Amino acid sequence: MTTDVVRAPLRAEVLREQLVDQNRWAALDVVDRTGSTNSDLAEAARAGAADRTVLIAEEQTAGRGRQQRSWTSPRGAGLYVSVLWRPRGVPAPRLAWLPLLTGLVLAEVIDELTGIEAAVKWPNDLLVGPARAKCAGVLAEVVSVQPEPAVVVGVGLNVSHRRDELATGPGGLTATSLAVEGMTSVSREQVAVAFLRHLATAEAQWRQAAGDPVASGLQTAFRQVCATVGQQVRVELPNGGALHGTAVDVDADGRLVIREASGALVPVSAGDVVHVRPVG
């Protein structure tokens, strides 16, 4: 497939026909250009937008990542999508699993749809290909609305970016795209449909279990695709400190568990993780 075909505009009517129904997504829109789909959906949540609302942009000019980082996206080169969840009945502490669930689904779909090996770098980066380069990021934001908080989860997936359109990210992660990794026969539309179908199913199973990652099988499934477990890592903490050790687990709260040189186990709920080298 040529780059021109991959960058063909997404057809909102086709996506709605395949995705919007009572049991999957409530609403879906595709906009030509916006600052941030996450920001737009957060505003929509405050205005009463329905649970399971989807917003996709052809181009973002002020996309946001973790730690307030910003980024831009070439028109039509990637899949820039945000979803609005109102997971009533799920305890607030378990909402931290939503970005991990999203990364898990993204990795599984890319692997199945394209044959490109995919894994998740805790907590929010999709790594693909033999070099495990970064191909996507996930950002979750809680929106304070009544009667229960809403959560907006955004994904920026590099689909047809050329090498010269990619940059090295935080922690020295080299960026890549599905096209750079050899994808030749899958369109953005196909990726969007497969991802959103799988995501709706996985989230429904998690929600039915009241967000319990053990009962829903989410914790086990995430461990299987997590490229960070088993790595020697440096975790740059939000307070400016750093933690060094071996990542040994992702616990029931979605935290990365680090074994320090002393043998102490330290759970980490937030931080930039740098893979130093694999153990063994």
Side-chain angles (χ1 to χ4, degrees), residues 122-137:
W122 185 93
N124 72 327
D125 290 329
L126 180 76
L127 308 182
V128 302
R132 288 195 165 176
K134 180 176 177 176
C135 192

Side-chain angles (χ1 to χ4, degrees), residues 47-63:
D51 179 31
R52 297 185 173 95
T53 293
V54 180
L55 179 63
I56 304 174
E58 289 286 2
E59 179 183 7
Q60 286 193 134
T61 59

Side-chain angles (χ1 to χ4, degrees), residues 2-4 6-7 57-60 71-80 134-137 155-167 175-183 188:
T2 66
T3 299
D4 289 340
V6 173
R7 294 192 178 183
E58 289 286 2
E59 179 183 7
Q60 286 193 134
W71 51 275
T72 59
S73 49
R75 177 179 298 275
L79 181 62
Y80 318 117
K134 180 176 177 176
C135 192
V155 171
L157 172 67
N158 298 337
V159 180
S160 67
H161 294 68
R162 302 183 304 270
R163 288 189 187 277
D164 62 1
E165 294 175 315
L166 299 165
T176 190
S177 70
L178 298 180
V180 168
E181 296 301 323
M183 185 191 75
R188 288 190 304 146

Side-chain angles (χ1 to χ4, degrees), residues 11-47:
R11 298 168 295 174
E13 67 280 5
V14 172
L15 295 174
R16 290 192 193 104
E17 181 180 347
Q18 297 190 58
L19 293 167
V20 176
D21 60 44
Q22 293 181 345
N23 299 316
R24 193 174 287 132
W25 297 103
L28 183 150
D29 197 12
V30 178
V31 297
D32 183 63
R33 190 171 189 259
T34 191
S36 162
T37 53
N38 262 30
S39 295
D40 292 348
L41 264 195
E43 278 300 312
R46 286 186 277 267

Side-chain angles (χ1 to χ4, degrees), residues 216-234:
S216 65
L218 175 56
Q219 182 184 24
T220 297
F222 185 81
R223 284 168 171 161
Q224 292 174 346
V225 302
C226 183
T228 306
V229 173
Q231 294 273 348
Q232 289 191 8
V233 299
R234 181 178 74 254

